[in-house]
Amino acid sequence: MSYTVEIRDIAKRYGKLDAVRDVSFALPAGETVALVGHNGAGKTTLIKLMLGLIHPTFGTVSVLGENPAGGDFAARRRLGYLPENVAFNGALTGRELLTFYTRLKGGPVSLILPLLDRVGLAAAADRRVGTYSKGMRQRLGLAQALIGEPALLLLDEPTTGLDPALRQSFYEIVQDLRDRGATVILSSHALTELEERTDRVIVMNRGAMVANGSLEELRHIARLPTRIRFHLQDGRLGPKQSWLGGLGEWRPVNGHIVELDAMPGQKIDVLRQAIQAGAPLDDVEITPPTLDELYVHFLRSQEEAS
Ligand code: ATP
């Protein structure tokens, strides 16, 4: 299998500090990858290594089959990058800025207006960027990263400053790129919004990779319980709830909802048991471990192991 990105035993050292250490992973084409971790965990360092902006102290990085740290990194034209802090020359218009970046990348200028349209900036194309709002500048940054239909898109905290509607349209653009076969790497702290939008999650902690897999795989490894909430039909959690007896530990949420935890593989059993025992159910909510919970779990596991 050929990979868009292959990182092997990489380390990046600044003096005595290991910004990144012992990290290896491979990303196939057409995957959306969330790179998560606390401040200073090493996410931006990994992105910069993939872009060839910095060189590894140890290990190898391969991007689209080339070494980004090599002098002749031709695949650079097939990368899109949205830095954490986008800074543009405010005196230029959105259209002028994209023209500049398109020429740098060698792409067709005829695609600039469609690109501005794609990120919802067509109407502001001829306004100076200095007059743009933060969200508009962020969208311009995204348009800049999309120049030339990149095969690998690296987005460092891309949704910071975007309102909910723009976040939604941002993820639609990401989905569209992914469907066209691009690999998209998103570094973010917004775990809840990433949850159902990524194929893979890589968790970094103090320079080390502590988890790498799909949400399902991470849930399987972590073995955290799923929360089940029973809404009771008669609207009252009375003293006689004998059907709850065999279901293990439970807790009332309010007067008409009870909650219990089921380990992976036990959800169906718990539901079956409740129904067979005559539970007066009005509704059931099943919440698997969230990315937030998994993140905390993997961080704690590493802390305990070290
Ligand atoms: P954040 O979420 O805050 O953006 P991050 O996960 O992107 O954090 P990095 O920017 O990769 O973190 O930084 C990882 C570590 O490497 C930090 O301790 C940082 O201070 C250090 N570091 C990064 N760049 C340099 C540098 N040029 N010189 C010295 N230390 C650096």
Short mmCIF file of all heavy atoms in Angstrom, two decimals, residues 88 119-121 123-124 127 129 131-142 161-162 166:
data_model
loop_
_atom_site.label_atom_id
_atom_site.label_comp_id
_atom_site.label_asym_id
_atom_site.label_seq_id
_atom_site.Cartn_x
_atom_site.Cartn_y
_atom_site.Cartn_z
N PHE A 88 -2.00 38.02 6.87
CA PHE A 88 -1.95 38.46 5.47
C PHE A 88 -1.67 39.96 5.42
O PHE A 88 -1.95 40.68 6.36
CB PHE A 88 -3.30 38.20 4.78
CG PHE A 88 -3.65 36.75 4.61
CD1 PHE A 88 -4.81 36.23 5.14
CD2 PHE A 88 -2.81 35.91 3.89
CE1 PHE A 88 -5.14 34.90 4.96
CE2 PHE A 88 -3.13 34.58 3.71
CZ PHE A 88 -4.30 34.07 4.25
N VAL A 119 -15.39 29.26 -0.44
CA VAL A 119 -15.28 29.55 1.00
C VAL A 119 -16.19 30.71 1.41
O VAL A 119 -16.06 31.27 2.50
CB VAL A 119 -13.82 29.84 1.42
CG1 VAL A 119 -12.93 28.64 1.20
CG2 VAL A 119 -13.26 31.06 0.69
N GLY A 120 -17.10 31.09 0.52
CA GLY A 120 -18.09 32.12 0.86
C GLY A 120 -17.54 33.53 0.86
O GLY A 120 -18.06 34.39 1.57
N LEU A 121 -16.50 33.80 0.07
CA LEU A 121 -15.91 35.14 0.08
C LEU A 121 -16.02 35.85 -1.28
O LEU A 121 -15.38 36.88 -1.48
CB LEU A 121 -14.42 35.06 0.47
CG LEU A 121 -14.09 34.85 1.94
CD1 LEU A 121 -12.57 34.76 2.13
CD2 LEU A 121 -14.65 35.97 2.81
N ALA A 123 -18.28 37.68 -2.60
CA ALA A 123 -18.78 39.06 -2.53
C ALA A 123 -17.71 40.01 -1.97
O ALA A 123 -17.76 41.22 -2.23
CB ALA A 123 -20.03 39.11 -1.65
N ALA A 124 -16.75 39.47 -1.21
CA ALA A 124 -15.72 40.31 -0.60
C ALA A 124 -14.40 40.24 -1.36
O ALA A 124 -13.38 40.74 -0.89
CB ALA A 124 -15.50 39.88 0.85
N ARG A 127 -12.48 43.50 -1.72
CA ARG A 127 -12.29 44.34 -0.53
C ARG A 127 -10.91 44.08 0.04
O ARG A 127 -10.39 42.97 -0.04
CB ARG A 127 -13.34 43.95 0.53
CG ARG A 127 -14.60 44.79 0.40
CD ARG A 127 -15.64 44.31 1.36
NE ARG A 127 -15.18 44.25 2.73
CZ ARG A 127 -15.85 43.68 3.72
NH1 ARG A 127 -17.02 43.12 3.47
NH2 ARG A 127 -15.38 43.66 4.95
N VAL A 129 -8.11 43.09 2.58
CA VAL A 129 -8.14 42.07 3.63
C VAL A 129 -8.12 42.71 5.02
O VAL A 129 -8.67 42.15 5.97
CB VAL A 129 -6.95 41.08 3.43
CG1 VAL A 129 -6.85 40.11 4.57
CG2 VAL A 129 -7.13 40.34 2.11
N THR A 131 -9.92 44.90 6.03
CA THR A 131 -11.31 45.16 6.47
C THR A 131 -12.06 43.85 6.75
O THR A 131 -13.22 43.89 7.14
CB THR A 131 -12.10 45.95 5.40
OG1 THR A 131 -12.32 45.09 4.26
CG2 THR A 131 -11.38 47.19 4.96
N TYR A 132 -11.42 42.72 6.56
CA TYR A 132 -12.09 41.43 6.78
C TYR A 132 -12.22 41.15 8.29
O TYR A 132 -11.35 41.54 9.08
CB TYR A 132 -11.25 40.27 6.20
CG TYR A 132 -11.38 40.05 4.70
CD1 TYR A 132 -11.89 41.03 3.85
CD2 TYR A 132 -10.98 38.84 4.14
CE1 TYR A 132 -11.98 40.81 2.49
CE2 TYR A 132 -11.07 38.61 2.77
CZ TYR A 132 -11.57 39.61 1.95
OH TYR A 132 -11.65 39.39 0.61
N SER A 133 -13.27 40.41 8.65
CA SER A 133 -13.40 39.95 10.04
C SER A 133 -12.45 38.76 10.25
O SER A 133 -11.90 38.22 9.28
CB SER A 133 -14.83 39.50 10.32
OG SER A 133 -15.09 38.29 9.63
N LYS A 134 -12.29 38.35 11.52
CA LYS A 134 -11.38 37.23 11.82
C LYS A 134 -11.81 35.96 11.07
O LYS A 134 -10.99 35.27 10.48
CB LYS A 134 -11.41 36.97 13.34
CG LYS A 134 -10.44 35.92 13.81
CD LYS A 134 -10.40 35.96 15.32
CE LYS A 134 -9.66 34.95 16.04
NZ LYS A 134 -8.92 33.92 15.66
N GLY A 135 -13.12 35.70 11.09
CA GLY A 135 -13.64 34.52 10.40
C GLY A 135 -13.39 34.58 8.90
O GLY A 135 -13.10 33.58 8.26
N MET A 136 -13.50 35.81 8.33
CA MET A 136 -13.26 35.97 6.89
C MET A 136 -11.78 35.72 6.57
O MET A 136 -11.45 35.10 5.56
CB MET A 136 -13.67 37.37 6.43
CG MET A 136 -15.18 37.58 6.44
SD MET A 136 -15.58 39.32 6.25
CE MET A 136 -15.55 39.49 4.48
N ARG A 137 -10.90 36.19 7.46
CA ARG A 137 -9.46 35.96 7.23
C ARG A 137 -9.15 34.46 7.31
O ARG A 137 -8.34 33.93 6.56
CB ARG A 137 -8.61 36.73 8.24
CG ARG A 137 -8.57 38.22 7.95
CD ARG A 137 -7.39 38.89 8.64
NE ARG A 137 -7.47 38.77 10.09
CZ ARG A 137 -8.17 39.58 10.88
NH1 ARG A 137 -8.83 40.60 10.35
NH2 ARG A 137 -8.20 39.42 12.18
N GLN A 138 -9.83 33.80 8.25
CA GLN A 138 -9.64 32.37 8.41
C GLN A 138 -10.09 31.63 7.12
O GLN A 138 -9.44 30.72 6.65
CB GLN A 138 -10.45 31.89 9.63
CG GLN A 138 -10.09 30.53 10.14
CD GLN A 138 -8.77 30.52 10.89
OE1 GLN A 138 -8.10 31.54 11.00
NE2 GLN A 138 -8.38 29.36 11.38
N ARG A 139 -11.20 32.09 6.56
CA ARG A 139 -11.70 31.47 5.33
C ARG A 139 -10.77 31.75 4.16
O ARG A 139 -10.57 30.91 3.29
CB ARG A 139 -13.11 31.98 5.01
CG ARG A 139 -14.15 31.25 5.85
CD ARG A 139 -15.52 31.64 5.42
NE ARG A 139 -15.92 32.90 6.01
CZ ARG A 139 -16.95 33.63 5.59
NH1 ARG A 139 -17.67 33.23 4.57
NH2 ARG A 139 -17.27 34.75 6.19
N LEU A 140 -10.19 32.96 4.15
CA LEU A 140 -9.23 33.29 3.10
C LEU A 140 -8.01 32.37 3.22
O LEU A 140 -7.46 31.89 2.22
CB LEU A 140 -8.81 34.76 3.21
CG LEU A 140 -7.92 35.29 2.10
CD1 LEU A 140 -8.64 35.25 0.75
CD2 LEU A 140 -7.47 36.72 2.39
N GLY A 141 -7.62 32.11 4.48
CA GLY A 141 -6.51 31.18 4.73
C GLY A 141 -6.83 29.80 4.19
O GLY A 141 -5.97 29.14 3.59
N LEU A 142 -8.06 29.38 4.38
CA LEU A 142 -8.47 28.07 3.88
C LEU A 142 -8.44 28.07 2.35
O LEU A 142 -7.93 27.13 1.73
CB LEU A 142 -9.87 27.75 4.40
CG LEU A 142 -10.44 26.40 3.98
CD1 LEU A 142 -9.57 25.25 4.50
CD2 LEU A 142 -11.87 26.23 4.48
N GLY A 161 -12.14 30.72 15.66
CA GLY A 161 -12.65 32.00 15.16
C GLY A 161 -13.80 31.87 14.17
O GLY A 161 -14.30 32.87 13.70
N LEU A 162 -14.18 30.64 13.84
CA LEU A 162 -15.30 30.49 12.91
C LEU A 162 -16.60 30.31 13.68
O LEU A 162 -16.64 29.59 14.69
CB LEU A 162 -15.10 29.26 12.02
CG LEU A 162 -13.90 29.24 11.06
CD1 LEU A 162 -13.99 28.05 10.13
CD2 LEU A 162 -13.84 30.52 10.25
N LEU A 166 -20.15 28.60 9.81
CA LEU A 166 -18.92 28.52 9.01
C LEU A 166 -18.15 27.24 9.31
O LEU A 166 -17.53 26.66 8.43
CB LEU A 166 -18.03 29.73 9.30
CG LEU A 166 -18.49 31.02 8.65
CD1 LEU A 166 -17.56 32.15 9.02
CD2 LEU A 166 -18.54 30.87 7.14
#
